Amino acid sequence: MHPVVLKQVHKTYRLDSVGVPALADIDLDIRANCFTVICGPSGSGKTTLLNLIGCIDRPDQGDVMVAGRQAQRMSDDELSDFRARHLGFVFQNFNLLPVLTAYENVEYPLLLTKVPGAQRRARVLALLHAVGLADRASSRPGQLSGGQRQRVAIARALAPAPQLVLADEPTANLDSQTGAAIIALMRKMQREHQVSFVFSSHDPHVLAAADDTVHLHDGRITRVERRIETHAAPA
């Protein structure tokens, strides 16, 4: 089963009395255990599409199925609980809580879902070790480099064992060498944890690592490339 299925999705934002189309006629399947990148020029709808897949926003028309649930049929409270249990997020600005240590930032989503203490500690320590930050568990974000903060964010995203991890321009605030290292780490974690990763990006390092690439232009999918196939798949 595909973890994400979108059918005839449309999204328009209102600016005063003017409607601004963001997405139109979106039909898309995100494959399980794949590294999928959504790319396109600024204003093409990448972030809007990612927000719909991440159940942060709702479509005006069409169906958004995520992990077997129809997003637009869930209440706000149901969506919040669904995101906490089934989705992980990585942001370009890291979005770590500055007063918490690296350990506590990774632990936070497990507290929200009431994971028992011993299980929580084992999960957090294992993830910090996996991202190479076991020795920085007690450091706060302000004591970490940009690359280290993004590693904490990746560990936090994986903490609840999600079915899907979403990342909006995860390398945008990193230098090229650090960005390449972060992409390699996410690729490694994606394979080890058997989870689907979906990115919005135009970073060539991210595109080169992709299994599937979704090309957007003016709010429409122009093509979908699936690297393990011998030809581009239609959108």
Side-chain angles (χ1 to χ4, degrees):
M1 183 182 72
H2 295 297
V4 178
V5 178
L6 290 85
K7 293 187 179 299
Q8 281 299 293
V9 167
H10 293 250
K11 181 67 182 178
T12 298
Y13 292 107
R14 306 299 302 182
L15 184 61
D16 295 326
S17 61
V18 178
V20 181
L23 294 172
D25 297 319
I26 299 295
D27 288 307
L28 178 65
D29 297 337
I30 301 293
R31 297 187 299 165
N33 302 330
C34 278
F35 210 68
T36 300
V37 178
I38 301 167
C39 69
S42 179
S44 61
K46 297 188 300 294
T47 298
T48 299
L49 181 54
L50 204 69
N51 285 344
L52 292 178
I53 294 171
C55 302
I56 294 171
D57 206 350
R58 300 174 189 264
D60 297 323
Q61 299 177 44
D63 294 323
V64 177
M65 296 284 294
V66 181
R69 297 287 302 275
Q70 195 165 17
Q72 60 269 38
R73 291 189 177 179
M74 288 188 273
S75 68
D76 288 344
D77 286 344
E78 288 173 329
L79 281 172
S80 180
D81 183 70
F82 179 81
R83 286 192 299 266
R85 295 180 185 278
H86 298 282
L87 306 179
F89 296 88
V90 179
F91 303 93
Q92 62 175 285
N93 292 320
F94 319 124
N95 284 21
L96 300 177
L97 295 172
V99 298
L100 300 184
T101 64
Y103 180 98
E104 291 165 339
N105 267 284
V106 177
E107 181 186 40
Y108 188 68
L110 301 178
L111 290 170
L112 294 178
T113 53
K114 298 179 172 58
V115 174
Q119 183 181 342
R120 204 168 61 232
R121 177 174 173 79
R123 179 73 175 167
V124 173
L125 291 176
L127 283 167
L128 286 173
H129 176 77
V131 299
L133 290 177
D135 61 338
R136 303 305 301 270
S138 60
S139 299
R140 289 188 168 84
Q143 300 170 309
L144 300 173
S145 68
Q148 289 172 328
R149 277 177 276 174
Q150 199 61 296
R151 287 171 181 267
V152 174
I154 293 166
R156 179 185 60 187
L158 290 168
Q163 293 174 260
L164 186 69
V165 172
L166 299 109
D168 189 7
E169 299 281 3
T171 61
N173 289 335
L174 303 174
D175 63 74
S176 59
Q177 184 175 0
T178 303
I182 288 297
I183 292 305
L185 173 64
M186 285 196 279
R187 188 54 157 146
K188 175 176 178 288
M189 299 297 281
Q190 179 263 322
R191 287 171 174 154
E192 290 179 356
H193 289 262
Q194 291 291 288
V195 61
S196 300
F197 270 62
V198 183
F199 298 81
S200 67
S201 184
H202 52 260
D203 183 335
H205 290 108
V206 181
L207 296 175
D211 293 316
D212 294 351
T213 306
V214 180
H215 295 264
L216 275 180
H217 187 76
D218 291 340
R220 296 176 183 269
I221 295 177
T222 57
R223 71 183 188 277
V224 178
E225 296 175 299
R226 304 203 189 274
R227 183 164 295 175
I228 65 170
E229 297 176 2
T230 58
H231 60 278

